[in-house]
Amino acid sequence: MAGVVAQVALAWAMAKPGVTSPLIGARTVEQLTGNLTAAPLTLDHEQMARLDEVSAPPPGFSAGLASLAIRRMYLEVAMFAAGASRGDTAISSVSGSARPAF
């Protein structure tokens, strides 16, 4: 049964918009072979809707992602991106230039 579950999970993931290459986690040749058989598997609209329903994160799930460390990391990445667009970079007191030196 586990092989069938993995195949359906991979088929569901491959059918999701924006997914171009799902990662498979096979430890054995048998698992790899089973995962590869998911490629031609197609799920109908009702099956996709049911899988979407049972796999939806609970309400408030993303609230934990708003922790202080995550917000700080996001802010530093945004600041770096803004600086890089001007050819200047600075993150946590480390500064430099995004322009290559020739």
Side-chain angles (χ1 to χ4, degrees), residues 17-89:
V19 175
T20 58
S21 53
L23 301 176
I24 58 175
R27 287 180 284 167
T28 66
V29 173
E30 290 79 21
Q31 288 175 340
L32 178 61
T33 304
N35 287 339
L36 293 176
T37 60
L41 184 62
T42 345
L43 302 173
D44 64 32
H45 179 72
E46 288 178 24
Q47 292 166 324
M48 288 294 296
R50 178 69 178 132
L51 290 169
D52 287 341
E53 178 185 339
V54 298
S55 65
F61 170 77
S62 62
L65 300 176
S67 72
L68 180 60
I70 297 294
R71 288 195 314 260
R72 181 170 181 240
M73 182 177 64
Y74 175 78
L75 178 61
E76 287 190 1
V77 168
M79 289 170 50
F80 176 80
S85 69
R86 294 187 309 270
D88 186 28
T89 60

